[in-house]
Amino acid sequence: MSNHENTTPTGAADDGWRGLVWTSACLSFGCATILTLYGTKIYGAGSLLLAALSLPLWIGFLSAVLRIDAGRMRKKLLEIRQWRKPDWGENVENPYEIEFDQKKIVHFFLLGLLPCAILTIAALYMAATWTGEKMMYIPQNHLVLASILCAGACIIWLMVARTYRLAAEEEGVEDKELRTLGECAWESCWWLGIASLVLLVESGLGKLDPNLAGCCEAPFAWVIFFWVLAALLELMTRLVIGWMTTRTQSDSFTTPISVFLRYMIFVRGNPIQSFFFMLEQKWGVSFRSSWAIRFVARSTFPALVLVLFTWWALSSLYVVQLNEFGVRRDFGKIHEEIIQPGLHLKLPYPFGSVQTYPVKKVEMLPVGFDQSNTEQLSFLWSRKHGKEYELLLESGNRSIVIHIMVHYKIKEDPGGFFEYVKQFQNPQDVVYTFATRCLTELTHKATLAEIFSIQRDLFAKELHDRLQKYMDGNKMGVEIVEVSMLNLHPPTGEAAKGYLELISAGIDKKRMIVRAEKEYEVQLLQAQQQYSNILTQAEVVATQNVGTARAETFELLAVGKSFDLNPECFQLRYWLNAVQDILARKRLIITDDSIEVLYDMQDREQRDDASRALIRAQ
């Protein structure tokens, strides 16, 4: 195998360690997929640390894929060199060169730059999105199992890394790609091993103090994020340079998957040995002299002890946030003193600890319904809208559903605060239990009519007073800030239809009454308007009739007076008027033989028509 690799003009061997490369690619893909599914909450509780651990494994998988594809590139390069121009053509191009250019695009862009860009975007998105309250941690009951799984994966990658070392150290083999894949294996081994230790330490700290949950995961995850982003930036730069400089006339082809950061830390497996080896190889700084070895050997342990002691001494410092009160415990004993916000001192771990409580934070607790599946508070009560709890009324055969929201917080006075610290373990369950009890007490003696007629503010105030009384009586250290009634309705189901029909009938009754009253007002207004119109018209007609009658009366009086003055003249005038009226409707012609005069008494229009007719006849 070595002789074949040395005589191959395209570089290192491609077939001797193909099985190992495929194995590492499958292992990287499997581990990265599992960590991604759990870390991004696709299948699992979600964890920023596990999501960050998947990124170096995805880079290792990408490096293995590029190494496998580089073997095909070298074979194509060998075909280019073995091709001979035919005798029958002067300008015949080498077809293998065209195929090599196409494979170069696939290798550098599709298999290299595009996946690197996707990993960079994913890393930046996770680092920018999963911060603050959105930070996801492994649940306390999963920490030990996750630590064991990480330790098992670390052992597997340790075997793969040692196998790569044997391949790289084999006599006659000079394969930079295999060395780079070995560095990827060492990187995965170290990251998984440190993650296993971090999760194990966090499991122990979480049992001692629940407030320390995630204290180790988050810093380690950020270290991995910065490392991955730096490695991806260097890898993309190398791929771009390789794309631009690779030529078909080259004697060999090597995919640019090496990363200097990884080489500096993991070239020898041990980070310290790798760092010294890198200094010697790159800058010629040798640490092989006896004094340098003794100096490093003597100073490493004291420096490590000093760092650990400093870290242990810094555990005596703690910070209480502005919205919190703190309580100090020395050797398990609680000090009866409230620690105000700020920087304070305590005994170093594990002799002293401080527990902080968010006394300014107001919690909201829904009672009477389950709000876990929805954030909506208002519903059409006649339809099913989640899990509700029915309360029996006085008769026992009727029930009611009441939705309330309890706002509570930790008391800030010393007595109430230490009652909470010493006795309260699960405030949400206790407040919910007492709130449900208060609701039962207020409803089991009431009737349905009384419940529906009660004022909501009075009901909420009574509930608030009862609940606060229970909290104070049991020394829970909880202050009930407010009790809000959100909804009050009969239970859904068959009975809801009857209640809904009853309420709808009442609404329809009111609607019909209002409609009838409005119609009555409209008709009354129209009748009044018609009455006014008729009265006005009658007054006008009466005025006209009176005027006509007076005119006729005056005329008759005038005629009487005329008759009294000269009856014969009056009769003659009336006779002439009558004759005139009669003759006006008759045709009368008067003739006189003596003077031969013909006088036609017909209407002028008739005479004109007759004249025109005579003219036309002539």
Side-chain angles (χ1 to χ4, degrees):
M1 179 174 61
S2 300
N3 295 334
H4 173 70
E5 291 168 351
N6 291 331
T7 58
T8 301
T10 56
D14 294 326
D15 298 326
W17 302 101
R18 181 177 293 271
L20 177 60
V21 177
W22 274 104
T23 301
S24 63
C26 294
L27 282 174
S28 299
F29 181 80
C31 293
T33 302
I34 293 173
L35 292 174
T36 302
L37 292 177
Y38 188 94
T40 56
K41 211 174 182 179
I42 297 176
Y43 185 80
S47 170
L48 181 64
L49 174 59
L50 297 185
L53 277 175
S54 67
L55 296 175
L57 293 170
W58 283 118
I59 297 177
F61 170 72
L62 177 61
S63 301
V65 171
L66 290 173
R67 167 63 174 83
I68 295 171
D69 190 70
R72 300 190 181 97
M73 299 286 291
R74 284 188 281 269
K75 289 181 180 178
K76 187 60 61 178
L77 197 61
L78 181 62
E79 292 175 352
I80 292 174
R81 298 191 59 190
Q82 292 176 352
W83 183 79
R84 295 291 180 268
K85 184 182 296 185
D87 298 334
W88 46 267
E90 290 277 338
N91 299 323
V92 178
E93 296 183 359
N94 190 343
Y96 297 109
E97 292 183 358
I98 300 175
E99 295 181 7
F100 183 82
D101 291 336
Q102 295 176 352
K103 288 184 176 294
K104 186 173 70 171
I105 296 175
V106 174
H107 182 84
F108 287 101
F109 181 74
L110 294 181
L111 296 181
L113 290 173
L114 188 60
C116 285
I118 294 174
L119 288 177
T120 303
I121 294 173
L124 291 174
Y125 176 79
M126 288 188 290
T129 305
W130 296 342
T131 56
E133 296 181 356
K134 295 183 179 179
M135 186 80 72
M136 295 186 297
Y137 302 109
I138 301 177
Q140 184 68 27
N141 54 346
H142 293 176
L143 286 174
V144 177
L145 178 60
S147 176
I148 294 174
L149 293 177
C150 289
C154 174
I155 294 173
I156 295 175
W157 280 108
L158 177 62
M159 294 187 293
V160 175
R162 290 185 177 276
T163 306
Y164 273 115
R165 173 179 288 182
L166 294 176
E169 292 176 354
E170 185 177 345
E171 184 179 358
V173 175
E174 181 63 26
D175 194 339
K176 295 181 179 179
E177 296 170 353
L178 284 180
R179 187 194 66 190
T180 301
L181 293 179
E183 295 169 6
C184 292
W186 279 114
E187 180 184 8
S188 302
C189 175
W190 276 96
W191 286 133
L192 290 170
I194 297 174
S196 176
L197 181 61
V198 167
L199 295 177
L200 191 62
V201 172
E202 185 172 334
S203 175
L205 293 178
K207 293 179 180 179
L208 294 176
D209 188 355
N211 295 324
L212 296 177
C215 62
C216 301
E217 285 187 59
F220 185 50
W222 285 113
V223 171
I224 298 177
F225 273 124
F226 287 122
W227 173 275
V228 167
L229 290 175
L232 286 172
L233 181 61
E234 181 181 352
L235 183 58
M236 286 191 291
T237 304
R238 290 179 179 272
L239 288 170
V240 172
I241 295 174
W243 190 1
M244 298 301 174
T245 56
T246 301
R247 299 289 184 269
T248 56
Q249 293 81 11
S250 302
D251 294 334
S252 62
F253 175 80
T254 302
T255 182
I257 57 176
S258 61
V259 177
F260 179 73
L261 289 176
R262 190 190 300 128
Y263 171 83
M264 182 175 62
I265 303 299
F266 301 110
V267 64
R268 288 296 184 183
N270 189 325
I272 298 177
Q273 295 181 359
S274 300
F275 181 73
F276 292 150
F277 178 79
M278 182 272 300
L279 291 178
E280 183 176 354
Q281 292 292 321
K282 298 296 182 180
W283 289 287
V285 180
S286 177
F287 287 87
R288 298 184 180 183
S289 59
S290 58
W291 69 268
I293 296 175
R294 287 196 301 270
F295 175 77
V296 173
R298 291 175 181 177
S299 61
T300 301
F301 182 74
L304 182 61
V305 172
L306 179 61
V307 170
L308 292 177
F309 177 78
T310 304
W311 176 79
W312 178 75
L314 290 176
S315 65
S316 61
L317 297 175
Y318 66 93
V319 177
V320 179
Q321 301 297 330
L322 292 176
N323 62 335
E324 296 177 341
F325 281 172
V327 175
R328 187 171 64 250
R329 295 174 182 264
D330 293 338
F331 299 98
K333 181 182 179 181
I334 298 177
H335 287 265
E336 297 287 342
E337 179 185 0
I338 296 178
I339 302 176
Q340 299 294 330
L343 180 65
H344 303 276
L345 291 174
K346 67 176 182 64
L347 294 178
Y349 178 82
F351 307 108
S353 63
V354 172
Q355 288 182 312
T356 57
Y357 300 89
V359 295
K360 303 293 184 181
K361 183 179 180 180
V362 178
E363 301 286 348
M364 294 191 303
L365 178 65
V367 179
F369 66 104
D370 188 5
Q371 197 186 354
S372 58
N373 298 326
T374 179
E375 295 182 356
Q376 186 177 357
L377 298 178
S378 299
F379 303 93
L380 182 61
W381 61 267
S382 60
R383 297 181 181 179
K384 289 288 185 180
H385 47 260
K387 190 175 182 181
E388 295 181 328
Y389 306 98
E390 301 178 7
L391 300 171
L392 293 177
L393 299 177
E394 180 184 18
S395 58
N397 56 0
R398 291 188 178 183
S399 57
I400 194 72
V401 175
I402 301 177
H403 295 180
I404 64 172
M405 185 68 70
V406 179
H407 304 260
Y408 67 94
K409 62 183 290 291
I410 304 172
K411 287 187 175 181
E412 299 185 35
D413 60 286
F417 176 71
F418 281 104
E419 287 177 356
Y420 182 91
V421 172
K422 295 178 181 179
Q423 299 188 23
F424 226 162
Q425 300 296 328
N426 196 343
Q428 184 174 357
D429 291 345
V430 174
V431 173
Y432 184 86
T433 301
F434 281 114
T436 305
R437 180 177 178 180
C438 293
L439 273 178
T440 305
E441 292 177 354
L442 291 174
T443 57
H444 82 284
K445 293 183 179 181
T447 61
L448 186 64
E450 293 174 351
I451 290 295
F452 278 114
S453 62
I454 193 173
Q455 296 183 9
R456 293 195 175 191
D457 55 347
L458 297 179
F459 185 84
K461 185 177 183 305
E462 177 67 20
L463 188 60
H464 173 275
D465 296 340
R466 282 176 175 263
L467 186 56
Q468 187 64 63
K469 183 178 179 180
Y470 277 118
M471 293 292 107
D472 296 340
N474 291 273
K475 297 182 179 180
M476 295 299 175
V478 174
E479 178 185 352
I480 306 300
V481 179
E482 184 182 2
V483 177
S484 304
M485 181 181 290
L486 304 178
N487 206 347
L488 172 66
H489 62 79
T492 57
E494 295 296 331
K497 296 181 180 179
Y499 284 114
L500 185 60
E501 291 176 357
L502 180 62
I503 294 174
S504 300
I507 295 174
D508 291 340
K509 176 184 176 182
K510 294 181 180 179
R511 179 178 57 81
M512 294 177 67
I513 292 174
V514 172
R515 182 177 179 181
E517 291 177 351
K518 296 302 179 182
E519 290 179 354
Y520 166 76
E521 292 177 358
V522 171
Q523 292 178 0
L524 180 60
L525 182 62
Q526 292 176 352
Q528 291 177 351
Q529 186 176 3
Q530 291 177 0
Y531 167 76
S532 299
N533 294 335
I534 294 173
L535 182 60
T536 303
Q537 293 177 0
E539 291 177 352
V540 172
V541 172
T543 303
Q544 292 177 351
N545 292 336
V546 170
T548 304
R550 288 179 178 177
E552 292 176 354
T553 302
F554 291 149
E555 184 178 357
L556 290 176
L557 292 175
V559 170
K561 289 181 179 181
S562 299
F563 182 80
D564 292 339
L565 292 175
N566 194 349
E568 294 178 357
C569 182
F570 181 80
Q571 291 178 357
L572 178 61
R573 182 174 178 270
Y574 265 87
W575 181 82
L576 292 175
N577 289 336
V579 171
Q580 184 180 356
D581 292 337
I582 295 171
L583 294 178
R585 295 189 293 271
K586 301 293 184 177
R587 184 174 183 181
L588 180 64
I589 300 174
I590 303 173
T591 61
D592 190 351
D593 295 338
S594 62
I595 59 177
E596 296 181 359
V597 175
L598 177 61
Y599 182 73
D600 193 353
M601 297 298 293
Q602 64 181 356
D603 294 338
R604 182 178 296 177
E605 294 180 357
Q606 294 179 359
R607 292 198 305 269
D608 293 339
D609 293 338
S611 300
R612 286 194 292 271
L614 181 59
I615 293 170
R616 285 195 297 270
Q618 292 177 357

